[in-house]
Amino acid sequence: MRIHESGENYLETILQLKKRNEMVRSIDIARELSFSKPSVSRAIAIFKEEGLVNVEENGNITLTEKGYIRAQAVLERHITITDYLQQILGVSPENAEKDACRIEHVISEETFSKIKKQLGE
C-alpha cells in the first residue's frame, strides 16, 4: 500500500505527539497539522481500516506495529535529511526543516542511502 504525503505526515505527527504526550487525540493532530477535525477524523478512519492505527474508546489514537514502522521510517528520513541539509550543505535550520518536510516524501531509497552514508550513519 502506497501512502501519500499527507498520510505519511499524519503518521509522523501521531508518533511525535505520542513521544510528547500520554494521549493522542484527533484534535491534537488537527492542531499540530492545522487541519480541520473532520479531515483528521476521515484520515484516522482510513488508517484504522488499513491497520495502521487503533482508536480506543476514550479517543486515544495509537499506532499499530505496522503504523509505527511506517511512521518511524518517515521520521528517520525527516531527521536525516534535515541533518544533511544543515551539516553538509549549510542550509539554515528553518529552511532545512521546511525542505526536509517536502523531500522526505519523494526521495528515492538509493539517494536516501547515499545521504545516510555521507553523514556516517
Side-chain angles (χ1 to χ4, degrees), residues 85-100:
L85 294 172
Q86 289 179 316
Q87 295 173 23
I88 306 299
L89 300 181
V91 175
S92 70
E94 300 80 24
N95 283 332
E97 183 69 30
K98 282 190 280 187
D99 291 343

Side-chain angles (χ1 to χ4, degrees), residues 3-19:
I3 295 178
H4 297 287
E5 180 177 340
S6 64
E8 288 184 340
N9 283 336
Y10 276 106
L11 295 176
E12 181 182 17
T13 298
I14 293 167
L15 179 61
Q16 291 176 318
L17 286 170
K18 185 63 180 166
K19 289 179 179 186

Side-chain angles (χ1 to χ4, degrees), residues 8 27 39 44-45 53 60 62 66-67 83 86 91 94 106 114:
E8 288 184 340
I27 191 70
S39 294
I44 295 301
V53 300
N60 186 37
T62 58
K66 180 177 165 183
D83 289 348
Q86 289 179 316
V91 175
E94 300 80 24
V106 296
K114 303 273 184 188

Side-chain angles (χ1 to χ4, degrees), residues 3-119:
I3 295 178
H4 297 287
E5 180 177 340
S6 64
E8 288 184 340
N9 283 336
Y10 276 106
L11 295 176
E12 181 182 17
T13 298
I14 293 167
L15 179 61
Q16 291 176 318
L17 286 170
K18 185 63 180 166
K19 289 179 179 186
R20 292 194 313 242
N21 307 320
E22 194 171 309
M23 281 186 67
V24 177
R25 298 164 302 147
S26 290
I27 191 70
D28 302 321
I29 299 165
R31 282 188 194 128
E32 190 78 12
L33 294 173
S34 299
F35 291 165
S36 71
K37 189 162 178 326
S39 294
V40 172
S41 294
R42 276 193 304 278
I44 295 301
I46 292 166
F47 293 148
K48 189 175 174 184
E49 285 178 24
E50 296 289 338
L52 298 168
V53 300
N54 291 315
V55 181
E56 299 170 5
E57 285 185 27
N58 63 2
N60 186 37
I61 299 166
T62 58
L63 294 167
T64 62
E65 182 178 353
K66 180 177 165 183
Y68 177 82
I69 290 167
R70 198 62 185 273
Q72 190 62 41
V74 175
L75 184 58
E76 178 192 19
R77 286 194 310 259
H78 181 94
I79 291 168
T80 302
I81 294 166
T82 301
D83 289 348
Y84 178 81
L85 294 172
Q86 289 179 316
Q87 295 173 23
I88 306 299
L89 300 181
V91 175
S92 70
E94 300 80 24
N95 283 332
E97 183 69 30
K98 282 190 280 187
D99 291 343
C101 276
R102 287 181 244 144
I103 295 167
E104 69 192 35
H105 304 289
V106 296
I107 193 168
S108 71
E109 250 336 288
E110 177 187 8
T111 303
F112 183 63
S113 300
K114 303 273 184 188
I115 287 172
K116 283 175 60 172
K117 186 175 181 182
Q118 191 162 23
L119 285 171

